[in-house]
Amino acid sequence: GRRRREAAEEEVEETPQEKKLRLAKQYLEELRQLGESRPAPVSRGAAPGSEPDPHALVLGSPAHILLFLQVQPPDPARIRVLRGHQLPVTCLVISPDDRFIFSASKDGSLIKCKWEVDSGKRLCVVPGGKKGTEERHLGHASHVLCMAISSDGKYLATGDRNKLIMIWDAATCKRLHIFTGHRDAVSGLSFRKGTHQLYSASHDRCVKVWDVGENAYVETLFGHQDIITGLDSLSRECCVTAGGRDGTVRLWKIPEESQLVFSGHQGSIDCIQLINEEHMVSGADDGSVALWGLTKKKPLVLARQAHGEQDAQGLQQPYWISAVAALRNSDLLATGSHSGSVKLWKSGEGFRKLEHLLDIPLVGFVNSLKFSAAGDFLVAGIGQEHRLGRWWRIKEAKNSICIIPLKQKTTPSSPESPGSS
């Protein structure tokens, strides 16, 4: 009886409609897992009867076609390094068509239109300026902490320490609008998928909703007890945030103006990303990485000291998790720290297990990570300092953007195999 009560306390309160939807999705997930338990078809190029690749990941694509993604350690010589920022890179995004990378840094400059992925060329630079001069030039006048791009690739949004959100035409580099309203640094931005609705998070502890197409402010949501350090959203009218030292992750239901509170990390939660509409991953400065289901208040799995420990002034402390990334609707994750490598993970058993796959050596603070939409490369924003402060400086690091190719082979399942659409 006690266990049942504890389980009930962990359940998030939900409406009857939400419960029906959750149970239906749970039933579909059980069917999918039943299909995966059957023998998998042999990958293209594999000899019949050969052992399966230990790094083969089964991905549920939006079309419900199982894909076998083989991820192998990349050749360090094939990792491309793009230089241009004078100070640490703080954030980056990839265009929806995977052709361009937009990045920003502590030097206030916004290199936006664009880094070309294929050639590595820098196509446009928007220089920064001094504080208070935002109206006289295009760029930011303080550290840029976050950015987001709309799912149609039309708008780019950037947020800085000077409380400003700038909206750009992603194709022409033209600044379209400046949103004001936050009372402290803007630390998280995300466009709702399929729309021009923009969510923003700030060190002022609130979340704001904007309509970029109409250049309009919509509403403000309150709840966090400390600075918000990260934000993400997908196609639902909701977003998730990391609440720094208040120790909580929150799911904000925009129409209801309500929130669900999740807790499990022991330190400051510094980064967060949705994996799909039902699961998310977060990282904290206690060195832990957590996987969450949106119907449980506690993590489904918590990996402590995910990047190991460092000797800091004679004390053993875990490496801070400074960036997380998820290949959408898959079980492939990436985490970054200043431990000297980016780590790739597989989330298995219904997101209740986190399996370390491989390390990719990179020196410096990994302040941002993004998978390409196709999953064929991973981009890392590297800096000599952490994006949120100046606690340490790694002199040998290069302030740069690293494009990491992910060697893979994707094989759709045969029409008669489980999971086929």
Side-chain angles (χ1 to χ4, degrees):
R2 179 174 58 82
R3 285 197 295 271
R4 281 198 297 272
R5 284 196 302 274
E6 290 175 352
E9 289 174 359
E10 282 192 7
E11 291 290 341
V12 172
E13 292 184 8
E14 55 188 351
T15 64
Q17 292 82 4
E18 289 173 333
K19 184 175 182 180
K20 287 180 183 177
L21 181 63
R22 176 174 61 81
L23 292 175
K25 289 182 176 178
Q26 182 178 329
Y27 176 65
L28 291 172
E29 176 67 17
E30 289 171 356
L31 290 178
R32 186 182 68 82
Q33 290 179 354
L34 179 63
E36 289 179 2
S37 66
R38 301 185 188 180
V42 177
S43 298
R44 188 185 307 139
S50 62
E51 290 295 320
D53 191 308
H55 298 310
L57 307 180
V58 180
L59 305 184
S61 73
H64 304 102
I65 299 175
L66 296 182
L67 298 178
F68 296 85
L69 179 61
Q70 299 175 0
V71 179
Q72 299 172 358
D75 180 358
R78 296 189 62 227
I79 297 177
R80 291 186 290 150
V81 179
L82 310 181
R83 300 289 304 278
H85 290 292
Q86 301 302 311
L87 293 179
V89 176
T90 54
C91 53
L92 55 84
V93 293
I94 305 172
S95 63
D97 59 8
D98 288 346
R99 293 178 58 200
F100 307 104
I101 297 168
F102 302 87
S103 64
S105 80
K106 288 186 177 183
D107 56 21
S109 70
L110 171 66
I111 297 179
K112 45 183 299 295
C113 191
K114 309 156 193 173
W115 296 100
E116 191 174 45
V117 172
D118 289 342
S119 66
K121 290 181 179 178
R122 189 173 67 189
L123 302 183
C124 182
V125 178
V126 179
K130 294 183 179 180
K131 187 174 181 180
T133 64
E134 289 87 357
E135 294 297 332
R136 297 198 296 272
H137 63 82
L138 278 180
H140 288 271
S142 59
H143 298 178
V144 181
L145 296 181
C146 53
M147 61 170 46
I149 191 167
S150 58
S151 54
D152 61 1
K154 181 177 181 180
Y155 295 116
L156 182 75
T158 54
D160 67 16
R161 279 201 176 275
N162 202 26
K163 316 171 192 176
L164 299 179
I165 299 170
M166 294 189 182
I167 306 299
W168 309 80
D169 184 312
T172 64
C173 304
K174 180 183 178 182
R175 191 178 73 193
L176 303 176
H177 193 70
I178 297 179
F179 285 133
T180 60
H182 279 296
R183 293 170 296 162
D184 206 337
V186 180
S187 52
L189 289 168
S190 180
F191 279 95
R192 180 185 171 199
K193 189 175 179 181
T195 75
H196 293 149
Q197 188 175 60
L198 177 69
Y199 305 124
S200 65
S202 167
H203 288 184
D204 64 11
R205 308 179 184 183
C206 71
V207 173
K208 290 185 183 290
V209 184
W210 314 84
D211 185 334
V212 172
E214 299 293 330
N215 287 338
Y217 160 79
V218 179
E219 63 180 313
T220 302
L221 305 172
F222 300 93
H224 275 294
Q225 304 302 306
D226 192 33
I227 66 172
I228 303 176
T229 55
L231 177 147
D232 195 25
S233 67
L234 283 175
S235 57
R236 290 183 183 174
E237 200 168 354
C238 62
C239 62
V240 295
T241 53
R245 296 209 171 275
D246 76 1
T248 66
V249 165
R250 301 192 182 219
L251 168 68
W252 304 81
K253 298 182 177 181
I254 309 300
E256 297 91 337
E257 296 186 13
S258 65
Q259 57 191 285
L260 303 178
V261 182
F262 307 82
S263 58
H265 291 287
Q266 299 300 311
S268 175
I269 308 172
D270 290 344
C271 46
I272 190 167
Q273 188 173 358
L274 283 162
I275 302 170
N276 53 38
E277 297 284 6
E278 299 293 332
H279 300 90
M280 56 187 170
V281 59
S282 61
D285 71 359
D286 63 0
S288 62
V289 174
L291 295 181
W292 310 80
L294 298 187
T295 59
K296 290 285 187 181
K297 292 181 179 179
K298 300 294 182 184
L300 299 177
V301 61
L302 185 69
R304 302 184 188 277
Q305 298 182 9
H307 279 249
E309 287 187 312
Q310 62 177 329
D311 186 1
Q313 298 177 344
L315 298 175
Q316 290 296 114
Q317 296 184 359
Y319 283 103
W320 297 2
I321 306 303
S322 52
V324 294
L327 181 56
R328 301 290 196 191
N329 301 309
S330 81
D331 52 6
L332 182 62
L333 307 173
T335 59
S337 181
H338 60 288
S339 59
S341 66
V342 167
K343 292 182 180 289
L344 295 187
W345 307 80
K346 175 185 176 182
S347 55
E349 298 181 7
F351 297 94
R352 294 180 181 273
K353 184 178 180 182
L354 196 59
E355 176 189 343
H356 177 236
L357 292 176
L358 56 94
D359 288 356
I360 302 168
L362 286 178
V363 177
F365 281 88
V366 181
N367 288 326
S368 186
L369 284 170
K370 290 290 186 296
F371 282 101
S372 64
D376 54 348
F377 63 90
L378 174 68
V379 182
I382 306 296
Q384 294 181 331
E385 301 168 351
H386 192 284
R387 71 183 180 96
L388 296 176
R390 305 190 67 181
W391 298 282
W392 293 287
R393 190 165 185 268
I394 302 176
K395 294 182 180 179
E396 59 271 25
K398 306 295 184 185
N399 298 320
S400 59
I401 296 147
C402 296
I403 302 176
I404 304 159
L406 297 178
K407 190 177 181 182
Q408 56 176 285
K409 205 185 298 179
T410 55
T411 306
S413 58
S414 59
E416 66 272 6
S417 47
S420 296
S421 59

